């Protein structure tokens, strides 16, 4: 029994020392989808940034919980017309900001390359709509309106799949797709499709 406890203590000590902390940031390409279509609205460019901890749990396997700020949502072109060589466009974008906690289980195929999968838990912190009119891509009028987060489901659950490659022991490139499973609306009318977050993320990570 003493040997068992001693072995467990040594293993926990090794795990503690093997933990690595880091920071990461990158670009989001997000959209909102319904149950009937994978992506019925145009993608919107956003960002993500936060911190993570990476700890080995077995040979070639590790767990990486993260704490991120995520800008999600979608963009829609309302109207687009061309008059006299000038293109007039009216666009609408919905910005949904979350604090997210992904918990990724990683398979380290090589010391530099890994595959990952795991759940992501999100908590909405703000929501707003942005309307923009442009002429040949140049903004003419921009209007933003804050939305009441009480009208939304503040909790968001998703599942992520991704991969990463570390060019050095400290600096790596990351890529991840997160599919949402939670309707963003708090009280949706009966019979209408649920609308869910989807996002593709790419960025850089730095381990201390």
């Amino acid at each position: 029994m003493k040997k068992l406890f001693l072995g467990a203590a040594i293993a926990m000590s090794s795990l503690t020392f093997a933990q690595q902390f880091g920071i990461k940031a990158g670009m989001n390409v997000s959209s909102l989808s319904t149950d009937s279509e994978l992506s019925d609205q145009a993608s919107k460019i956003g960002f993500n940034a936060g911190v993570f901890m990476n700890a080995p749990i077995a040979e070639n396997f590790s767990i990486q919980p993260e704490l991120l700020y995520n800008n999600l949502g979608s963009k829609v072109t309302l109207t687009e017309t061309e008059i006299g060589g000038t293109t007039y466009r009216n666009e609408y974008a919905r910005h949904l900001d979350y604090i997210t906690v992904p918990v990724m289980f990683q398979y380290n195929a090589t010391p530099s390359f890994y595959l990952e999968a795991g759940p992501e838990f999100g908590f909405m912190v703000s929501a707003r709509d942005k309307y923009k009119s442009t002429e040949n891509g140049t903004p003419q009028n921009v209007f933003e309106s804050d939305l009441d987060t009480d009208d939304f489901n503040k909790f968001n659950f998703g599942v992520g799949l991704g991969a990463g490659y570390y060019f050095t022991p400290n600096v790596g490139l990351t890529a991840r797709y997160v599919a949402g499973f939670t309707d963003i609306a708090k009280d949706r009318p009966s019979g209408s499709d649920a609308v869910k977050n989807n996002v593709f993320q790419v960025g850089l990570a730095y381990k201390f």
Side-chain angles (χ1 to χ4, degrees):
M1 185 64 69
K2 290 182 179 179
K3 291 182 179 179
L4 180 60
F5 281 113
L6 179 60
I10 293 174
M12 290 298 296
S13 176
S14 300
L15 179 60
T16 300
F17 284 113
Q19 289 176 354
Q20 287 187 287
F21 296 87
I23 57 175
K24 62 183 300 186
M27 178 182 70
N28 287 346
V29 182
S30 63
S31 64
L32 295 171
S33 66
T34 66
D35 291 332
S36 58
E37 291 188 46
L38 177 64
S39 182
D40 58 354
Q41 300 191 31
S43 298
K44 180 186 73 67
I45 302 299
F47 70 94
N48 68 83
V51 297
F52 65 87
M53 180 193 75
N54 186 277
I57 54 176
E59 186 178 3
N60 298 331
F61 288 92
S62 60
I63 185 171
Q64 181 165 298
E66 303 173 358
L67 180 64
L68 304 176
Y69 189 95
N70 258 314
N71 173 240
L72 306 180
S74 68
K75 182 178 70 175
V76 177
T77 298
L78 300 175
T79 61
E80 181 174 300
T81 57
E82 184 173 343
I83 302 175
T86 300
T87 300
Y88 299 90
R89 178 182 297 169
N90 290 305
E91 297 177 337
Y92 151 77
R94 171 152 289 182
H95 296 262
L96 304 175
D97 295 334
Y98 293 85
I99 298 295
T100 59
V101 182
V103 182
M104 294 292 115
F105 295 89
Q106 297 179 343
Y107 169 66
N108 303 296
T110 72
S112 300
F113 177 74
Y114 67 85
L115 300 171
E116 65 177 9
E120 179 180 277
F121 309 94
F123 307 89
M124 180 180 285
V125 292
S126 68
R128 69 187 189 279
D129 285 341
K130 182 176 181 179
Y131 299 87
K132 180 173 67 174
S133 61
T134 63
E135 294 181 11
N136 289 335
T138 302
Q140 301 298 312
N141 295 292
V142 179
F143 173 74
E144 291 194 29
S145 174
D146 291 331
L147 303 175
D148 189 350
T149 57
D150 288 337
D151 294 332
F152 293 86
N153 192 342
K154 293 184 180 180
F155 175 77
N156 186 70
F157 174 76
V159 172
L161 295 172
Y165 182 81
Y166 275 84
F167 302 101
T168 74
N170 302 100
V171 180
L173 177 67
T174 66
R176 182 184 300 162
Y177 177 78
V178 182
F181 285 81
T182 306
D183 190 349
I184 66 170
K186 185 176 182 179
D187 298 307
R188 184 170 299 283
S190 178
S192 60
D193 286 332
V195 177
K196 303 169 184 179
N197 286 299
N198 297 285
V199 60
F200 175 75
Q201 302 171 322
V202 62
L204 294 173
Y206 180 81
K207 290 181 179 179
F208 296 113

